Amino acid sequence: EAPDLPEAKRLMDRFCKHVNAPCLTNEQWQAITHGLSREIAVYRDALRLGYQARMTSRREDAMGVDMVVADDEGRSINLDIKTRSSFHFRLQDLHNEGRVSELEREEAEQFGHITVVNGHGGAAVTTTLLRIDEETYGRTIDFALERREQLGMALDQIFRSHASH
């Protein structure tokens, strides 16, 4: 066991070995905790900005929705929080699948978000992929974004364009 790993990772590794289950690699652990820390920061900062927010169920998460954010007018948006690299690769996948045009992909890279429909028919869910990167929002410190006001501007823009009642 590496001494510089977080205690939670060491405990999880010990448990996995005890039950003879595969452990996450250090890279997998870093990617998961990095993404989750940003999701938590967006959730908490949305609340601080005066929105209502809730994390989603496993079923909703499987449809690409990390959280639902609502404003005081009763409108809501579904958010899928992405790091810079996961946002980029998801856009490439959406383009390769023919779900977004090259222009839509380029605009999303520029503006840091794009709204798509996941699923089909009655199970279809409209979701906004929101890139949370250090250049725009600063670092994530203690589950908070350094530049929360940037999140407020992004959420305001998404609400104006894509919110549903």
Side-chain angles (χ1 to χ4, degrees):
E1 293 180 11
D4 58 336
L5 287 177
E7 180 66 11
K9 171 72 165 97
R10 284 195 296 274
L11 290 171
M12 191 175 75
D13 286 349
R14 184 179 300 157
F15 176 78
C16 288
K17 289 174 185 167
H18 179 73
V19 297
N20 203 25
C23 298
L24 293 175
T25 66
N26 291 345
E27 293 77 22
Q28 290 169 323
W29 173 265
Q30 283 297 112
I32 290 168
T33 57
H34 185 64
L36 284 175
S37 68
R38 288 179 186 212
E39 285 181 30
I40 294 166
V42 169
Y43 169 82
R44 293 179 61 188
D45 284 342
L47 294 174
R48 289 182 183 110
L49 289 164
Y51 293 98
Q52 298 171 25
R54 71 171 177 83
M55 301 304 284
T56 58
S57 67
R58 289 177 56 169
R59 182 183 57 77
E60 290 169 302
D61 189 59
M63 292 295 291
V65 181
D66 294 326
M67 75 186 69
V68 179
V69 177
D71 66 8
D72 56 8
E73 297 176 30
R75 300 177 301 171
S76 66
I77 54 174
N78 297 321
L79 294 179
D80 183 6
I81 307 304
K82 299 289 189 192
T83 61
R84 175 173 288 288
S85 62
S86 65
F87 183 79
H88 174 75
F89 290 120
R90 183 69 179 124
L91 285 176
Q92 284 184 328
D93 290 344
L94 289 167
H95 178 67
N96 292 341
E97 294 167 7
R99 296 178 56 198
V100 299
S101 68
E102 181 61 19
L103 178 61
E104 290 169 320
R105 188 193 68 73
E106 289 172 2
E107 287 177 346
E109 290 280 12
Q110 178 183 352
F111 296 114
H113 58 83
I114 188 169
T115 299
V116 298
V117 176
N118 293 327
H120 304 283
V125 177
T126 301
T127 305
T128 299
L129 283 68
L130 177 60
R131 180 185 66 218
I132 301 296
D133 57 72
E134 287 191 10
E135 294 79 14
T136 305
Y137 300 98
R139 295 177 301 151
T140 302
I141 302 170
D142 295 329
F143 302 109
L145 301 172
E146 278 187 308
R147 293 194 287 274
R148 178 183 314 141
E149 68 281 355
Q150 291 294 118
L151 177 64
M153 290 188 294
L155 291 175
D156 184 54
Q157 183 180 21
I158 296 165
F159 268 98
R160 284 195 316 270
S161 303
H162 301 289
S164 63
H165 282 279

